[in-house]
Amino acid sequence: MSQTKVYDTIIIGAGIAGASIAYTLQQKNQKVLVLEKESIASGGSGAAGAFVSPKIGKGSPLQTLTNEAFAYAYRFYTTYFPEYYKQTGVIRLPKEKEDARRFDSYRAYNYLPFSDYSQEQVESLGFHTSFDGFYFPEGGVCEAKAICEAMLVGCEVKLHEVKQLTYDSEVWHVDGFYANNVVLATGHQNHLIDVRYMGISGLWGERGDYQTALQLENSLHQSLSIGASENGMVKIGATHAKGVKSPSICDEKRLEGLLHNAGKLIDTSDFTLLQSHCGMRSGSRDYMPLVGSVIDVAFMLQTYPQLLRGAKPPLKYFENLYIYNGLGGRGFVFAPLLAEELSKYILEEKIVDSQVSPDRLFYKWCRKFNK
Ligand SMILES: Cc1cc2nc3c(=O)[nH]c(=O)nc-3n(C[C@H](O)[C@H](O)[C@H](O)COP(=O)(O)OP(=O)(O)OC[C@H]3O[C@@H](n4cnc5c(N)ncnc54)[C@H](O)[C@@H]3O)c2cc1C
């Protein structure tokens, strides 16, 4: 091993998860190698509208975490990547009457700063609605692919599909590459190591970029997202296409449906499709992100068969193997904060928040799903 180059960390996958942890570790003087099978942001990250906004709701743990991440992301992007973050402000609108009633109960939990926008105010900004909404001025939009590429400037990136991972003599062997640590940031594709207990699954979505003369100063979220106009272009995106199991080409019919639904919110009469993007976003079983060590499932099941009956023996992890996944529909919101947390875990052994540690899902999976 003495003549072989051993990286501090190999990161597998160059979406927003892989790019943000590579950037963060590199800032901390770590020697990193990023291995990506297609191209930077070729997965869900490249398809994303990459809207960055707070979450509304009644103070759930996911909302609290999302809003903490949003505050961090806002500072991070405006400080380090201002050219790739457009602060458009984001309007949130109810989907229907029942949702509008719920908005009243959300107000007390809203991320600050925010403003109440009346229906008239929202309409004056170019959106059709029968409801009042919220306005979050710090919200905005990332240039999805460009910001991933920018984070990877100065990092070693190789186009390579990783087929095998083995740990030998205290070093990870990643096909022909070597590292002390490995971070799995492979989105919805997770064939390299048994991580079934995390319940990672993909949700398909589309984004259309349209040429239009429509001038929108703000972005808007409802059941879909509409971006503020930029250089005569507006992007519309949504990830709700359940049942698409594996990546396929962008479905024109679904894009038409997306445009049709957007037409209820804005004037789409002159919209011409410039480019379509589609992809899978990966989420965990409980919608919380997955950041931390990876449990050696085979060892645990062989050593402790009583796991299936509800026992909770001590966990055994793969040495220096980490996962960064489950960012759901908010990869660009979570990425900066969680990359910082993961880097502290890797470098300083600072325990990650138990809400995002994948450990939370293991015992239950053994009992319920591993039959
Ligand atoms: C249509 C759409 C709209 C979205 N809108 C938003 C939004 O507005 N705001 C927001 O914050 N988020 C949004 N998201 C969600 C966001 O895109 C995801 O949270 C994000 O993509 C997660 O990033 P990731 O790096 O975990 O996964 P990915 O971006 O999927 O990256 C995984 C990478 O790993 C690579 N890979 C996999 N296996 C291997 C292997 N064996 N070897 C090498 N490389 C490998 C893949 O090629 C891929 O590039 C949207 C998603 C979609 C699909």
Side-chain angles (χ1 to χ4, degrees):
M1 195 56 58
S2 53
Q3 280 106 16
T4 313
K5 183 165 185 179
V6 180
Y7 293 90
D8 292 317
T9 304
I10 287 179
I11 295 149
I12 308 174
I16 186 63
S20 59
I21 187 61
Y23 173 81
T24 308
L25 288 172
Q26 197 194 225
Q27 291 298 308
K28 299 184 183 194
N29 299 318
Q30 294 289 293
K31 213 166 12 140
V32 299
L33 170 66
V34 179
L35 297 174
E36 164 56 52
K37 70 180 172 126
E38 285 178 36
S39 59
I40 295 172
S42 57
S45 300
F51 297 97
V52 177
S53 70
K55 185 170 171 59
I56 55 171
K58 288 166 79 172
S60 68
L62 181 58
Q63 185 190 0
T64 307
L65 177 69
T66 307
N67 290 354
E68 185 193 341
F70 171 75
Y72 192 94
Y74 173 70
R75 282 194 306 274
F76 177 89
Y77 292 135
T78 50
T79 308
Y80 302 112
F81 295 98
E83 59 276 53
Y84 304 108
Y85 181 71
K86 189 170 180 220
Q87 187 176 343
T88 60
V90 173
I91 297 167
R92 290 297 310 245
L93 281 183
K95 297 184 190 87
E96 23 66 17
K97 268 191 192 154
E98 192 46 45
D99 202 21
R101 269 193 285 277
R102 283 195 288 268
F103 262 50
D104 277 336
S105 59
Y106 295 161
R107 185 173 293 99
Y109 301 93
N110 267 355
Y111 176 91
L112 294 172
F114 92 99
S115 308
D116 280 305
Y117 267 19
S118 66
Q119 177 202 351
E120 293 75 25
Q121 264 173 305
V122 178
E123 293 227 314
S124 73
L125 295 166
F127 300 104
H128 313 318
T129 180
S130 324
F131 304 111
D132 300 339
F134 300 136
Y135 175 67
F136 297 96
E138 292 178 354
V141 190
C142 287
E143 273 182 58
K145 195 174 170 61
I147 206 163
C148 292
E149 286 168 347
M151 284 179 181
L152 289 169
V153 168
C155 294
E156 207 173 326
V157 181
K158 289 188 194 296
L159 284 193
H160 176 87
E161 177 168 1
V162 176
K163 301 270 194 217
Q164 209 182 10
L165 284 179
T166 48
Y167 191 65
D168 189 18
S169 310
E170 303 196 341
V171 171
W172 278 102
H173 297 222
V174 185
D175 297 340
F177 306 100
Y178 304 93
N180 297 317
N181 308 302
V182 167
V183 177
L184 302 170
T186 53
H188 77 285
Q189 295 156 300
N190 290 280
H191 314 300
L192 295 167
I193 294 277
D194 184 356
V195 291
R196 283 171 299 156
Y197 66 98
M198 302 184 198
I200 300 171
S201 61
L203 189 57
W204 186 252
E206 278 95 14
R207 179 184 119 208
D209 297 346
Y210 298 89
Q211 186 174 33
T212 173
L214 186 70
Q215 286 297 323
L216 297 173
E217 280 182 23
N218 305 114
S219 304
L220 176 133
H221 283 304
Q222 202 212 37
S223 47
L224 45 74
S225 302
I226 300 173
S229 33
E230 200 175 357
N231 305 324
M233 195 262 284
V234 164
K235 34 183 196 178
I236 302 174
T239 49
H240 300 295
K242 290 195 174 124
V244 180
K245 293 285 177 229
S246 58
S248 56
I249 51 163
C250 293
D251 181 333
E252 294 216 343
K253 282 221 173 66
R254 253 197 296 270
L255 267 176
E256 280 167 23
L258 197 61
L259 185 61
H260 173 78
N261 289 337
K264 297 174 193 163
L265 289 160
I266 50 172
D267 176 5
T268 55
S269 54
D270 76 339
F271 273 41
T272 312
L273 185 64
L274 290 173
Q275 220 178 349
S276 56
H277 309 262
C278 49
M280 287 278 192
R281 67 163 160 96
S282 60
S284 69
R285 182 168 287 127
D286 63 0
Y287 308 108
M288 281 289 204
L290 298 160
V291 183
S293 294
V294 179
I295 295 168
D296 186 339
V297 173
F299 172 90
M300 291 298 291
L301 292 177
Q302 267 162 27
T303 315
Y304 306 112
Q306 64 272 33
L307 272 165
L308 306 190
R309 298 190 300 278
K312 293 185 175 176
L315 296 171
K316 179 176 179 294
Y317 303 100
F318 287 104
E319 288 290 322
N320 306 332
L321 178 66
Y322 306 92
I323 190 152
Y324 187 16
N325 207 320
L327 301 184
R330 291 182 180 268
F332 290 81
V333 181
F334 283 127
L337 175 68
L338 296 183
E340 178 61 22
E341 293 209 355
L342 180 55
S343 73
K344 285 185 179 153
Y345 182 52
I346 296 172
L347 302 178
E348 302 165 28
E349 294 181 29
K350 187 165 181 274
I351 299 296
V352 285
D353 183 344
S354 59
Q355 296 183 105
V356 301
S357 163
D359 292 1
R360 69 188 188 270
L361 298 163
F362 182 69
Y363 294 119
K364 191 169 176 190
W365 174 77
C366 291
R367 271 196 331 273
K368 284 189 78 169
F369 302 103
N370 185 38
K371 294 268 157 80

